[in-house]
Amino acid sequence: MKRKFKVLLTRRLHDFALDKLRKKYEITVHSGKIPMPKNRLLDLIKDKDGLICFPYDSIDKQIINSAKKLKIISTYSVGFDHIDIKYAKKKKIKIGYTPDVLTNATAELTISLMLDLLRRITEGDRLIRKNNWTEIFGAYDYVGRDVSGKTIGILGMGRIGKSVAMKALGLGMNVIYHNRKPMSKKMEISLKSKYVSLNNLFKKSDVLTIHIPYSKETHHLVDSSLLSKMKKTSFLINTSRGKIVNENDLIMYLEQNKIQGAGLDVFEKEPINKKNKLTKLENTVLAPHIGSSTDETRYEMTEITVKNLILGLNDKKLVYSV
Ligand code: DGY
């Protein structure tokens, strides 16, 4: 009889997916500490043919070396900076990921953070919960900013950046962007978006939003030198990866009101807690890495992650391959 493939999941997926996998394979699902402790991962991966992992799992050389039988790494994310892609490919391991399906959800969260910051919704909520709602309707009370007519600067015009541009246009914003390469003229016209240099993006934006992948090249790309270009009245949004921003520099700029606020879904080291200075600031809105976290999107991500895994185990072309 043919040996059943062995699959490790570093965390559970939807029940329908686990049921499907259980019927075909011998599966091990980690529960408990997140991320899965490295020693346990090193040990459990040894005899596995397939791995389903998450953005916080570090799938480095050591893990790959321990995974003597591994054919496929299927990550439940669009980002794959947590996997040593080059090394995995060298070892002939396929890598699947989940782009497209989470574009809209992540763009929606970006817009939510922007609206929240400019209209001070969470700030007001905190105020009410602390029993501090005193003023009503005065000319200067709890005054936010119009979104319409403002300039949004998009750093990275990939799938998510473009989706943010479309939604921002719907809100009456002007769109400027910076990318490794400008988009085609046709695309620029259809998205009513103007290409500018990186410095100008930071100088001219009222809202600067980051949509580039994390890599060695983008590590701490947004530091005090770029933040210093921003207007005092501007806002920073990050729904991509925390390590693209130098968090200490950002905290300094927010504390000294050198920029007006920040909406962050991602952090240098996740999860953060109350000790992180960002939580002490009134001019921040913080989310627990929920860019793709809608019922609809997570369901589709599960479907693709499982499909990628099964295709990889059977030496077939993945739905989405890195
Ligand atoms: C991903 O899938 O990489 C995103 O971080 C989800 O928000």
Side-chain angles (χ1 to χ4, degrees):
M1 213 175 83
K2 229 175 106 187
R3 180 180 79 88
K4 262 191 176 180
F5 284 128
K6 292 187 178 177
V7 175
L8 173 66
L9 291 90
T10 64
R11 192 181 195 176
R12 65 182 297 223
L13 284 180
H14 290 94
D15 289 339
F16 79 88
L18 294 181
D19 290 345
K20 185 171 175 175
L21 292 175
R22 246 182 231 116
K23 278 189 193 131
K24 292 174 184 274
Y25 311 122
E26 203 179 306
I27 72 167
T28 307
V29 186
H30 168 72
S31 60
K33 226 173 169 210
I34 293 169
M36 184 172 178
K38 186 153 188 178
N39 280 345
R40 190 165 156 72
L41 181 53
L42 275 170
D43 186 38
L44 286 180
I45 198 75
K46 278 183 193 150
D47 62 346
K48 300 296 182 291
D49 307 277
L51 170 69
I52 289 181
C53 64
F54 293 74
Y56 45 75
D57 294 311
S58 170
I59 311 300
D60 58 14
K61 277 200 183 74
Q62 207 188 351
I63 301 287
I64 295 169
N65 279 334
S66 178
K68 300 278 182 248
K69 297 193 168 158
L70 201 62
K71 292 163 78 105
I72 166 84
I73 299 170
S74 180
T75 183
Y76 191 68
S77 59
V78 63
F80 43 79
D81 49 282
H82 53 297
I83 304 168
D84 190 332
I85 299 291
K86 232 171 138 184
Y87 197 63
K89 288 203 170 173
K90 202 171 142 197
K91 295 279 176 184
K92 305 263 180 302
I93 299 169
K94 290 189 170 166
I95 303 134
Y97 72 138
T98 63
D100 288 338
V101 290
L102 49 67
T103 299
N104 183 63
T106 310
E108 280 183 1
L109 186 80
T110 304
I111 297 292
S112 309
L113 289 171
M114 174 178 73
L115 289 170
D116 190 330
L117 275 171
L118 270 74
R119 299 305 305 271
R120 303 175 62 180
I121 302 167
T122 299
E123 197 186 327
D125 180 86
R126 285 192 292 250
L127 185 111
I128 292 173
R129 286 168 201 266
K130 283 188 206 144
N131 233 1
N132 284 338
W133 183 11
T134 47
E135 312 296 335
I136 300 176
F137 217 88
Y140 297 104
D141 302 328
Y142 317 129
V143 168
R145 292 287 187 77
D146 276 345
V147 171
S148 172
K150 295 288 185 305
T151 296
I152 187 167
I154 301 178
L155 176 57
M157 253 315 192
R159 285 176 279 244
I160 298 173
K162 286 187 185 117
S163 180
V164 169
M166 282 191 297
K167 293 178 197 314
L169 288 172
L171 291 169
M173 301 184 82
N174 309 309
V175 181
I176 57 176
Y177 76 99
H178 182 78
N179 207 31
R180 264 176 308 184
K181 276 199 289 183
M183 298 186 289
S184 67
K185 280 283 160 263
K186 204 172 147 201
M187 189 59 100
E188 282 193 345
I189 291 167
S190 101
L191 288 177
K192 296 197 182 89
S193 303
K194 187 170 174 271
Y195 181 84
V196 294
S197 68
L198 186 61
N199 281 343
N200 275 339
L201 190 81
F202 279 77
K203 264 187 211 157
K204 294 188 170 162
S205 301
D206 297 305
V207 177
L208 189 298
T209 180
I210 304 172
H211 301 288
I212 52 175
Y214 175 71
S215 67
K216 259 192 257 148
E217 290 70 40
T218 61
H219 180 80
H220 282 186
L221 174 75
V222 180
D223 61 2
S224 57
S225 86
L226 275 180
L227 292 170
S228 70
K229 309 267 183 309
M230 291 176 74
K231 299 184 236 183
K232 261 184 98 166
T233 52
S234 62
F235 298 86
L236 183 83
I237 313 274
N238 191 8
T239 56
S240 59
R241 282 292 179 269
K243 287 187 227 157
I244 294 170
V245 177
N246 181 324
E247 212 164 272
N248 283 334
D249 287 0
L250 176 63
I251 289 167
M252 189 180 84
Y253 270 72
L254 288 165
E255 276 175 345
Q256 297 176 7
N257 293 314
K258 287 182 169 171
I259 64 171
Q260 188 141 358
L264 306 170
D265 182 44
V266 287
F267 306 88
E268 283 209 35
K269 197 170 178 314
E270 294 170 9
I272 61 164
N273 58 31
K274 271 175 101 169
K275 283 189 201 141
N276 187 310
K277 281 191 181 164
L278 288 165
T279 66
K280 313 271 185 270
L281 299 171
E282 281 304 337
N283 53 354
T284 58
V285 174
L286 311 175
H289 201 147
I290 51 168
S292 63
S293 192
T294 67
D295 203 19
E296 298 86 344
T297 297
R298 283 285 154 92
Y299 188 91
E300 286 192 71
M301 286 170 72
T302 292
E303 283 207 303
I304 293 172
T305 304
V306 168
K307 271 188 198 154
N308 276 338
L309 177 96
I310 296 174
L311 291 166
L313 287 173
N314 292 291
D315 302 310
K316 300 217 173 93
K317 196 168 172 278
L318 309 187
V319 192
Y320 291 106
S321 170
V322 174

